[in-house]
């Protein structure tokens, strides 16, 4: 697990410990969206990579790249999902492609 993913996991532990009610409600909300979705898991993960870049969240990028790979996305699909965010967000979002490349290099090389 990469450093950003480890930080996210630790954050989730802290949220679960300190505000279990809020954290469980959030998890339930996201699980309900995914469960009823017409979009396959792989494509959800690719969309979330682009959203993570647009949100400038390195921890989110790390987690969603890993999830995309787990659900069968290729290195090229993951990178292209990130580049779509760059196309929408411009050069400031390009800086966040660093996190995508770091994760795919660990997962695919």
């Amino acid at each position: 697990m990469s450093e950003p993913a480890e930080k996210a996991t630790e954050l989730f532990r802290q949220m679960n410990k300190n505000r279990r009610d809020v954290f469980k409600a959030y998890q339930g909300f996201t699980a309900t969206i995914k469960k009823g979705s017409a979009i396959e898991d792989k494509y959800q993960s690719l969309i979330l990579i682009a959203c993570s870049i647009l949100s400038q969240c390195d921890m989110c990028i790390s987690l969603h790249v890993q999830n995309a790979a787990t659900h069968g996305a290729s290195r090229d699909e993951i990178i292209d999902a990130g580049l779509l965010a760059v196309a929408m967000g411009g050069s400031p979002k390009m800086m966040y492609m660093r996190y995508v490349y770091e994760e795919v290099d660990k997962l695919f090389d």
Side-chain angles (χ1 to χ4, degrees):
M1 188 180 293
S2 67
E3 183 182 343
E6 289 172 3
K7 287 180 180 179
T9 300
E10 180 56 31
L11 172 63
F12 297 155
R13 277 193 213 108
Q14 290 174 348
M15 290 176 63
N16 192 41
K17 178 182 174 186
N18 293 303
R19 284 304 306 265
R20 183 178 205 94
D21 57 333
V22 173
F23 187 63
K24 292 296 178 188
Y26 174 75
Q27 285 182 313
F29 172 72
T30 58
T32 300
I33 292 168
K34 287 183 173 195
K35 184 173 82 174
S37 180
I39 302 170
E40 296 174 30
D41 290 338
K42 175 176 119 172
Y43 300 109
Q44 286 183 27
S45 294
L46 292 169
I47 291 166
L48 290 169
I49 290 168
C51 291
S52 297
I53 290 171
L54 290 170
S55 298
Q56 298 177 291
C57 177
D58 61 330
M59 290 184 278
C60 303
I61 294 166
S62 178
L63 292 172
H64 294 304
V65 167
Q66 290 176 26
N67 285 339
T70 298
H71 288 106
S74 70
R75 175 188 182 93
D76 289 341
E77 288 174 317
I78 292 168
I79 291 169
D80 285 354
L83 290 173
L84 288 171
V86 172
M88 291 297 296
S91 61
K93 304 310 179 194
M94 189 181 305
M95 301 304 113
Y96 285 84
M97 284 297 295
R98 167 186 153 210
Y99 300 108
V100 173
Y101 287 118
E102 285 175 0
E103 290 300 324
V104 296
D105 287 346
K106 290 175 194 167
L107 294 167
F108 291 99
D109 288 342

